[in-house]
Amino acid sequence: MSQYKMYAIPERFRKIENLHIVFWLLKDVSWALFWKPIGIIMLIPTLSVAFLITWQTRKLKSELFHNLAIVFWICANGFWMVTEFFWPDKEFLRYYTTIPFGIGICFIAAYYFIILPNEKKTEKLVEIPV
Protein backbone atom coordinates (compact mmCIF):
# COMPACT_ATOMS: atom_id res chain seq x y z
CA MET A 1 0.00 0.00 0.00
CA SER A 2 1.29 3.44 -0.90
CA GLN A 3 2.32 5.90 1.79
CA TYR A 4 0.77 8.73 -0.22
CA LYS A 5 -2.82 9.84 0.09
CA MET A 6 -4.84 9.75 -3.11
CA TYR A 7 -6.37 13.07 -4.11
CA ALA A 8 -9.20 12.98 -6.62
CA ILE A 9 -11.15 15.89 -7.97
CA PRO A 10 -14.75 15.35 -9.09
CA GLU A 11 -15.09 15.32 -12.87
CA ARG A 12 -17.58 18.22 -12.89
CA PHE A 13 -15.05 20.35 -10.95
CA ARG A 14 -12.25 19.36 -13.35
CA LYS A 15 -14.35 20.44 -16.36
CA ILE A 16 -14.95 23.84 -14.76
CA GLU A 17 -11.23 24.22 -13.98
CA ASN A 18 -10.35 23.40 -17.58
CA LEU A 19 -12.91 25.95 -18.83
CA HIS A 20 -11.36 28.47 -16.43
CA ILE A 21 -7.99 27.99 -18.11
CA VAL A 22 -9.56 28.71 -21.51
CA PHE A 23 -11.17 31.93 -20.20
CA TRP A 24 -7.92 33.01 -18.57
CA LEU A 25 -5.88 32.38 -21.72
CA LEU A 26 -8.37 34.27 -23.88
CA LYS A 27 -8.23 37.20 -21.45
CA ASP A 28 -4.44 37.27 -21.45
CA VAL A 29 -4.13 36.87 -25.22
CA SER A 30 -6.58 39.75 -25.63
CA TRP A 31 -4.46 41.81 -23.26
CA ALA A 32 -1.26 40.97 -25.12
CA LEU A 33 -2.83 41.85 -28.48
CA PHE A 34 -4.52 44.92 -27.00
CA TRP A 35 -8.03 43.74 -27.87
CA LYS A 36 -9.79 45.88 -25.27
CA PRO A 37 -13.41 44.68 -25.63
CA ILE A 38 -12.53 40.98 -25.59
CA GLY A 39 -10.07 41.42 -22.73
CA ILE A 40 -12.63 43.24 -20.60
CA ILE A 41 -15.39 40.78 -21.48
CA MET A 42 -13.18 37.76 -20.70
CA LEU A 43 -12.26 39.19 -17.31
CA ILE A 44 -15.85 38.62 -16.16
CA PRO A 45 -16.09 34.84 -16.80
CA THR A 46 -12.47 34.33 -15.72
CA LEU A 47 -13.11 35.94 -12.35
CA SER A 48 -16.60 34.43 -12.01
CA VAL A 49 -15.32 30.90 -12.56
CA ALA A 50 -12.46 31.53 -10.12
CA PHE A 51 -15.06 32.46 -7.47
CA LEU A 52 -17.11 29.37 -8.36
CA ILE A 53 -14.11 27.06 -8.05
CA THR A 54 -13.20 28.66 -4.73
CA TRP A 55 -16.75 28.13 -3.46
CA GLN A 56 -16.86 24.52 -4.65
CA THR A 57 -13.59 23.66 -2.90
CA ARG A 58 -14.22 25.63 0.30
CA LYS A 59 -14.31 22.49 2.47
CA LEU A 60 -10.76 21.47 1.49
CA LYS A 61 -8.40 23.92 3.19
CA SER A 62 -5.56 23.41 0.73
CA GLU A 63 -7.79 24.03 -2.27
CA LEU A 64 -9.60 26.92 -0.60
CA PHE A 65 -6.44 28.87 0.23
CA HIS A 66 -4.84 28.25 -3.16
CA ASN A 67 -8.03 29.22 -4.97
CA LEU A 68 -8.40 32.38 -2.88
CA ALA A 69 -4.87 33.28 -3.95
CA ILE A 70 -5.89 32.70 -7.58
CA VAL A 71 -8.95 34.95 -7.18
CA PHE A 72 -6.74 37.77 -5.92
CA TRP A 73 -4.18 37.06 -8.64
CA ILE A 74 -6.87 37.44 -11.32
CA CYS A 75 -8.12 40.63 -9.64
CA ALA A 76 -4.61 42.07 -9.73
CA ASN A 77 -4.08 40.85 -13.27
CA GLY A 78 -7.42 42.29 -14.41
CA PHE A 79 -6.76 45.66 -12.78
CA TRP A 80 -3.36 45.79 -14.45
CA MET A 81 -4.91 44.97 -17.83
CA VAL A 82 -7.63 47.62 -17.44
CA THR A 83 -5.12 50.30 -16.47
CA GLU A 84 -2.97 49.48 -19.50
CA PHE A 85 -6.02 49.57 -21.76
CA PHE A 86 -7.50 52.84 -20.55
CA TRP A 87 -4.69 54.75 -18.85
CA PRO A 88 -1.45 53.71 -20.58
CA ASP A 89 0.14 57.04 -19.71
CA LYS A 90 -0.43 56.45 -15.96
CA GLU A 91 2.04 53.63 -15.46
CA PHE A 92 2.06 54.17 -11.69
CA LEU A 93 -1.43 52.63 -11.49
CA ARG A 94 -0.01 49.16 -12.03
CA TYR A 95 1.77 49.40 -8.70
CA TYR A 96 -1.63 49.13 -7.03
CA THR A 97 -1.72 45.54 -8.26
CA THR A 98 0.69 44.75 -5.43
CA ILE A 99 -2.28 44.98 -3.03
CA PRO A 100 -4.29 42.03 -4.41
CA PHE A 101 -1.08 40.18 -5.32
CA GLY A 102 0.04 40.66 -1.72
CA ILE A 103 -3.29 39.41 -0.36
CA GLY A 104 -2.90 36.30 -2.52
CA ILE A 105 0.60 35.74 -1.18
CA CYS A 106 -0.78 36.10 2.36
CA PHE A 107 -3.30 33.31 1.69
CA ILE A 108 -0.51 31.05 0.42
CA ALA A 109 1.77 31.94 3.33
CA ALA A 110 -1.03 31.36 5.84
CA TYR A 111 -1.67 27.94 4.37
CA TYR A 112 1.97 26.79 4.24
CA PHE A 113 3.19 28.36 7.47
CA ILE A 114 0.13 28.01 9.73
CA ILE A 115 -2.57 25.65 8.48
CA LEU A 116 -0.47 22.88 6.91
CA PRO A 117 1.89 22.54 9.91
CA ASN A 118 -1.13 22.39 12.23
CA GLU A 119 -2.74 19.71 10.05
CA LYS A 120 0.48 17.67 10.12
CA LYS A 121 0.65 17.96 13.92
CA THR A 122 -2.95 16.77 14.17
CA GLU A 123 -2.23 13.82 11.83
CA LYS A 124 0.76 12.78 13.95
CA LEU A 125 -1.35 12.90 17.10
CA VAL A 126 -3.92 10.66 15.49
CA GLU A 127 -1.28 8.17 14.29
CA ILE A 128 0.23 7.57 17.74
CA PRO A 129 -0.55 3.96 18.72
CA VAL A 130 -2.04 3.37 22.13
Side-chain angles (χ1 to χ4, degrees):
M1 183 174 224
S2 175
Q3 67 184 22
Y4 300 105
K5 292 180 184 178
M6 182 65 177
Y7 175 75
I9 220 167
E11 185 178 353
R12 65 188 173 98
F13 289 2
R14 175 56 67 198
K15 286 180 181 178
I16 291 168
E17 286 182 358
N18 290 341
L19 182 61
H20 184 242
I21 293 166
V22 171
F23 289 156
W24 200 336
L25 287 171
L26 287 171
K27 180 194 72 61
D28 282 357
V29 165
S30 300
W31 181 9
L33 296 175
F34 219 68
W35 295 340
K36 290 180 189 179
I38 297 171
I40 300 299
I41 289 167
M42 291 314 300
L43 182 57
I44 296 164
T46 304
L47 198 50
S48 298
V49 174
F51 278 116
L52 176 62
I53 292 168
T54 302
W55 177 257
Q56 289 175 330
T57 61
R58 69 191 181 280
K59 294 180 183 174
L60 302 168
K61 285 182 186 175
S62 171
E63 294 298 310
L64 173 63
F65 278 75
H66 285 84
N67 287 322
L68 283 168
I70 288 170
V71 165
F72 281 95
W73 178 3
I74 296 169
C75 286
N77 193 259
F79 178 78
W80 190 351
M81 177 184 70
V82 168
T83 62
E84 283 191 1
F85 280 170
F86 297 104
W87 303 283
D89 57 325
K90 298 187 174 156
E91 194 174 308
F92 72 92
L93 289 174
R94 73 183 169 105
Y95 295 112
Y96 288 104
T97 62
T98 59
I99 296 168
F101 278 136
I103 293 169
I105 290 169
C106 287
F107 277 113
I108 295 298
Y111 178 74
Y112 283 102
F113 294 120
I114 299 168
I115 293 166
L116 186 60
N118 286 337
E119 286 178 347
K120 287 185 177 188
K121 283 180 192 174
T122 304
E123 284 178 13
K124 286 182 180 179
L125 290 174
V126 172
E127 291 176 9
I128 297 174
V130 180

